[in-house]
Amino acid sequence: MRAAHRPLLTALAVAATAVAGTVTAAVDAAPAHAATCYGYVGLTFDDGPSNSNTPALLSALKQNGLRATMFNEGQYAAAYPAQVRAEVSAGMWIGNHSYTHPHLTQLGQAQIDSEISRTQQAIAAAGGGTPQLFRPPYGETNSTVQAVEAKYGLRQIIWDVDSQDWNGASTDAIVQAVSRLTNGQIILMHEWSANTLAAIPRISQTLASKGLCAGRISPQTGRAVAP
């Protein structure tokens, strides 16, 4: 009887060893720890959302382990609410970028108020929460704009580095711009730039090589911090 059981026992032992090896391999394949972050930077994308550009941008960001702040225009948040929700689902943060992207410094206080307040409402109605960050179009601001921002509890966010993607910068130039970022700094990019979309994988690699991670922008300090 014992001799008859030996082949069976041997087979079971081999099977157990194989299973153990599989488990060990699975454990070994998992990263030991998350990437080390020696600092955080704020990746920002203006002028969305849209059905034509937002999905591809979100996919690229997620695939490359990046999170960003999306400064949405109110008119587009109202037109494409599903994309606002997609931004939230992808782990992005949403800021206010005015309703129609005008030169705010050329408007009166009531018009500025309308641009900001309608965008707050449109983003909230689309499921994007109530923004705490505001980026004035073209980076143009004055005391009147800032007074209206304060009324809605918004922190004004400009940028430290301009990728120049709006000005036809190449993918290489955009990656080079990202390489200039230091801890806490913010870069301006746009969701509609094909060169920016193409740069996403290299942006991730560039930040990792510098020990930097993509963070959120603090409403208290206006600087990039840990998510």
Side-chain angles (χ1 to χ4, degrees), residues 42-49 57 68-74 76-77 84 87 92-98 101 119-120 123 131-137 154-159 186-192 216-218 222:
L43 305 180
T44 68
F45 294 88
D46 289 8
D47 299 346
L57 176 59
T69 300
M70 321 300 283
F71 281 102
N72 287 348
E73 292 182 34
Y76 298 136
V84 175
E87 290 172 339
M92 309 303 155
W93 301 279
I94 300 178
N96 182 324
H97 194 41
S98 81
H101 207 277
T119 303
Q120 290 291 89
I123 290 173
Q132 296 179 285
L133 307 175
F134 176 74
R135 171 167 288 161
L154 291 162
R155 176 84 185 201
Q156 179 173 279
I157 303 297
I158 307 296
W159 52 83
I186 294 164
I187 186 168
L188 168 68
M189 295 179 285
H190 294 79
E191 81 142 32
W192 45 262
R216 68 181 179 88
I217 300 173
S218 166

Side-chain angles (χ1 to χ4, degrees), residues 64 171-173 175-176 178 198-208:
N64 289 279
T171 296
D172 285 346
V175 174
Q176 181 60 35
V178 170
I200 297 298
R202 290 172 60 194
I203 287 173
S204 178
Q205 294 163 5
T206 298
L207 293 178

Side-chain angles (χ1 to χ4, degrees), residues 109-224:
Q109 184 164 342
Q111 293 171 297
I112 296 170
D113 192 296
S114 176
E115 284 284 332
I116 291 177
S117 64
R118 285 190 296 156
T119 303
Q120 290 291 89
Q121 295 164 7
I123 290 173
T130 300
Q132 296 179 285
L133 307 175
F134 176 74
R135 171 167 288 161
Y138 313 102
E140 297 172 350
T141 187
N142 58 20
S143 59
T144 306
V145 173
Q146 290 165 25
V148 177
E149 293 167 359
K151 173 183 175 181
Y152 292 99
L154 291 162
R155 176 84 185 201
Q156 179 173 279
I157 303 297
I158 307 296
W159 52 83
D160 299 290
V161 176
D162 182 351
S163 71
Q164 290 283 316
D165 62 352
W166 55 272
N167 198 27
S170 66
T171 296
D172 285 346
I174 293 165
V175 174
Q176 181 60 35
V178 170
S179 74
R180 299 200 302 271
L181 289 169
T182 59
N183 182 41
Q185 289 192 326
I186 294 164
I187 186 168
L188 168 68
M189 295 179 285
H190 294 79
E191 81 142 32
W192 45 262
S193 168
N195 287 343
T196 298
L197 178 63
I200 297 298
R202 290 172 60 194
I203 287 173
S204 178
Q205 294 163 5
T206 298
L207 293 178
S209 72
K210 299 180 66 176
L212 295 171
C213 295
R216 68 181 179 88
I217 300 173
S218 166
Q220 287 72 43
T221 66
R223 310 302 291 161

